[in-house]
Each structure stands twice: as C-alpha cells, then as structure tokens.
Amino acid sequence: MTPEFSSWFLDVCVTISLAILTVAFFLIVVRIVRGPTLPDRVVALDMLVAVGIGFIAAIGVQTDYYLYLDIAIALGLVGFLATVAFARFVLNRGLAKDATIVDEVQESIAQRESGQ
C-alpha cells in the first residue's frame, strides 16, 4: 500500500465516523427531549458523553493532534462520575417515594404487562 492511499483511506474513515456520530448525536438529543422517563434521559445523557468522546477522538485522529485523546479520557471519567451521581439521585427520589418517580414506575410496569 502506498502512503497516499493510507492517508486517503484514513480521511474517508474519519469523515464517515463523524457523519455517523452526528446522526447518533441527533437521535440522542431526541431521546433526551422525548423521555419518557427520567432514567431514559439519564441513559441518553451518558450516551451523549460517549458520542462526545467519539467526536473528540475522531477529530484528534483527523488533525494529528493526539492531545485530544487525553481530553477524551478525562471526559470519560467526568461522564462516569456524572452517571453515578444521576443514578444516586434517581435512587434517592425513589426511596423517598417521590410522586413523579412512583408514577413513572407504575406506568412502566403497566406498559410492560400490556406488552408495549
């Protein structure tokens, strides 16, 4: 393989990955807006962090500036801690018998039993 082909192939792959990540980003934003429950939104926010890491990594490869990968790792750590904090928040609301969480759980159980 020639170096020109390798460079061209890498550029094409990075462009395709950025396009796929853009589509994923918009689908995740739709899930965050539509919900329907708080845990769905928390999972979508966690996925948004993962897509952000993908964007940073792809741009790092495209620009040959690999310091972006360190930033992506740091974002991954912050995203993990945010997910744990959100999970504890949802758990505490459930243990406190918050009306919105109780209603969401009952709605989810009813949907599961009806086969939706």
Side-chain angles (χ1 to χ4, degrees):
M1 273 201 241
T2 64
E4 295 84 23
F5 176 76
S6 298
S7 176
W8 172 82
F9 187 72
L10 183 63
D11 287 341
V12 168
C13 289
V14 168
T15 303
I16 290 171
S17 67
L18 287 172
I20 291 171
L21 286 168
T22 301
V23 170
F25 174 81
F26 285 116
L27 291 174
I28 292 167
V29 168
V30 168
R31 175 52 55 199
I32 290 171
V33 171
R34 291 189 61 199
T37 63
L38 181 62
D40 290 329
R41 289 183 171 103
V42 169
V43 170
L45 285 171
D46 189 38
M47 194 64 211
L48 193 63
V49 169
V51 168
I53 291 169
F55 270 117
I56 292 170
I59 290 171
V61 169
Q62 187 177 34
T63 61
D64 288 336
Y65 193 63
Y66 293 105
L67 183 62
Y68 285 130
L69 297 179
D70 294 337
I71 296 169
I73 291 170
L75 180 60
L77 293 172
V78 170
F80 171 74
L81 293 176
T83 302
V84 170
F86 275 132
R88 287 191 54 96
F89 172 72
V90 170
L91 177 68
N92 288 337
R93 281 182 62 184
L95 293 177
K97 303 291 188 227
D98 187 346
T100 57
I101 293 292
V102 172
D103 291 343
E104 285 179 3
V105 169
Q106 289 173 348
E107 208 175 288
S108 175
I109 291 171
Q111 286 178 352
R112 202 173 324 133
E113 288 175 352
S114 69
Q116 290 182 355

